[in-house]
Amino acid sequence: MKALTPPRSPTRHEPPRRTAVLLCALLWLLAPPCPAATPSTEATVAGSWQPQARALARVRARTEAALSLPFTARIRALSATPGAQVHAGDVLARFDAPELRRQLAEWQLARQASNLAQKRLAVMQQGRRESTVTRNELLATEEGAAQADRTARMAWQGLAALLDLLNQGTDEASLSHRAERQGLGALAADLSQLKAPFDGIVAALHASVGEQLSAGAAVLELESLTGMYLSVGVNEAAVPAWREGQTWWQHGDLRLDLHPLGGTARLDPASGLWLLDFETGQAEPGLQDGAWVEVWHRGPARPVVWVPASAVVARNGKTWVMVPGAKETRPVAVEVGPAAPDGRIPVLEGLTPGTPVVTEGAYELLYRDLKDLIKFVD
């Protein structure tokens, strides 16, 4: 019987079978394809390109006001809620204020006293013409009429100032007509309301129904809808690009063009971004002060050469294209922008118009020396 012999162990000069298989597989994967006689190429095309970017921006109301009452009052009703859009002249709150009733009464009494003084003066002037009134009597009457007129004017100015603070500007003749038609009590109730001074959004309420407010206490905060400011945060390297071109905010069909404000960029310590300020003469009704929105920017057009996306390859943190030469294809470092919708890529630096670039197999050509960098160890 033939004796069985154990299998021979591999020597140090003979790699194990598994290592040999792995080595063969890697060499097969990394082996460059057989070069075509003539690589597929395409000439670069001159054109123009506008860089486009987007960033987050924080909204700031162009006009904001804390609306208050100029006297002590009790809130009877509130017509506004936080986030609600209001228009100039809309009633925001109704109240009961003894001071307003007192000012109305003083104005009415002073106006009536002035009217009586004027009638008395007319009678005395007629009597003087008929020599039934002495000169001193006429002078005393004129002085009384002038004093009554001054008192009436002061009463009106005080009342008008209160009405202006309530955003109910009016003229004395109109208010006199209303007082005669409605009566003083009904007129006081009609005027006891706080109106919106401009179109805006109610940012906050500081009062509640039934609350007694002291003079000057804020009832609510109102933010303007006639325009807004936006602080856009970008990387430091992008600051020069955002100072030129077009910037806008778009929501659905609404597009708001943003205009840069003067001044230098400011560093935001919280985010590490640099803030650039923009403004717009219009505002989106749904936006409130402090909201974050996404804005877009398109820079000025700049000359570029266009290449197919298949011609651009990345390696070692750089971007390359393969340019065929007389003896061999060589890599050329390029600076590129993002791909266009049609699949072409703008080359900003590194190529001139008409230069042929490889459009098929550029990746394999650029990485053909990779196998020389790999060292296998048993």
Side-chain angles (χ1 to χ4, degrees):
M1 178 181 297
K2 185 177 181 180
L4 298 175
T5 60
R8 184 164 53 91
S9 300
T11 66
R12 56 184 294 184
H13 302 292
E14 181 181 4
R17 179 178 300 176
R18 185 170 58 183
T19 303
V21 171
L22 179 59
L23 178 59
C24 292
L26 286 173
L27 290 175
W28 179 81
L29 288 173
L30 295 174
C34 296
T38 304
S40 298
T41 62
E42 184 174 320
T44 60
V45 179
S48 63
W49 171 75
Q50 286 183 275
Q52 184 165 297
R54 58 183 176 179
L56 289 178
R58 189 169 189 178
V59 176
R60 291 181 292 123
R62 175 175 290 183
T63 304
E64 50 187 341
L67 304 185
S68 60
L69 299 177
F71 35 60
T72 300
R74 185 178 299 279
I75 301 298
R76 293 193 293 111
L78 290 169
S79 308
T81 57
Q85 180 180 349
V86 299
H87 299 284
D90 286 353
V91 177
L92 304 178
R94 298 182 184 277
F95 53 84
D96 181 33
E99 177 64 18
L100 179 59
R101 294 197 301 269
R102 185 187 68 79
Q103 289 273 11
L104 273 171
E106 286 188 0
W107 165 71
Q108 187 179 51
L109 290 174
R111 183 172 57 89
Q112 292 173 347
S114 179
N115 290 338
L116 288 175
Q118 291 298 323
K119 291 179 180 179
R120 186 179 303 110
L121 177 60
V123 171
M124 296 297 287
Q125 289 172 338
Q126 180 63 29
R128 179 59 181 164
R129 287 192 293 269
E130 296 174 354
S131 300
T132 58
V133 172
T134 66
R135 178 178 178 80
N136 288 338
E137 290 174 331
L138 178 59
L139 290 175
T141 304
E142 289 176 343
E143 183 178 349
Q147 179 60 43
D149 182 64
R150 285 193 296 271
T151 301
R153 286 203 309 270
M154 292 179 61
W156 166 248
Q157 289 171 359
L159 178 60
L162 291 180
L163 296 178
D164 284 341
L165 292 174
L166 299 174
N167 305 306
Q168 298 191 58
T170 185
D171 60 90
E172 187 174 13
S174 299
L175 198 64
S176 299
H177 179 70
R178 291 174 61 184
E180 293 173 0
R181 188 180 72 252
Q182 296 178 246
L184 197 63
L187 179 60
D190 197 26
L191 294 175
S192 297
Q193 53 191 13
L194 178 64
K195 293 186 177 182
F198 48 77
D199 295 351
I201 293 178
V202 178
L205 279 179
H206 299 293
S208 57
V209 175
E211 183 178 359
Q212 181 89 7
L213 296 181
S214 58
V219 178
L220 54 85
E221 293 181 21
L222 189 65
E223 296 174 356
S224 172
L225 285 179
T226 58
M228 60 184 181
Y229 298 110
L230 293 96
S231 295
V232 181
V234 300
N235 294 323
E236 184 177 8
V239 169
W242 278 75
R243 290 196 180 280
E244 298 181 339
Q246 297 175 313
T247 308
W248 70 94
W249 177 78
Q250 188 157 355
H251 180 68
D253 295 333
L254 176 64
R255 168 172 167 156
L256 299 181
D257 290 325
L258 308 181
H259 308 287
L261 295 174
T264 59
R266 313 182 313 278
L267 177 63
D268 178 23
S271 64
L273 298 176
W274 290 82
L275 302 180
L276 294 169
D277 292 326
F278 293 81
E279 68 172 344
T280 176
Q282 185 181 354
E284 161 61 24
L287 292 180
Q288 295 189 32
D289 190 66
W292 288 91
V293 297
E294 189 176 60
V295 298
W296 292 85
H297 178 79
R298 182 181 293 119
R302 58 179 296 181
V304 297
V305 294
W306 292 95
V307 299
S310 60
V312 180
V313 185
R315 181 176 178 182
N316 297 335
K318 295 184 178 181
T319 308
W320 307 81
V321 295
M322 303 302 296
V323 177
K327 295 182 179 181
E328 63 178 356
T329 303
R330 61 185 177 86
V332 175
V334 292
E335 180 187 349
V336 299
D342 61 2
R344 298 183 303 157
I345 291 181
V347 176
L348 313 179
E349 298 289 344
L351 288 179
T352 57
T355 303
V357 294
V358 175
T359 57
E360 292 184 11
Y363 183 88
E364 291 81 357
L365 289 171
L366 183 64
Y367 280 83
R368 62 187 170 188
D369 62 340
L370 182 61
K371 64 180 181 296
D372 297 332
L373 304 177
I374 299 178
K375 305 298 181 183
F376 293 97
V377 179
D378 291 343

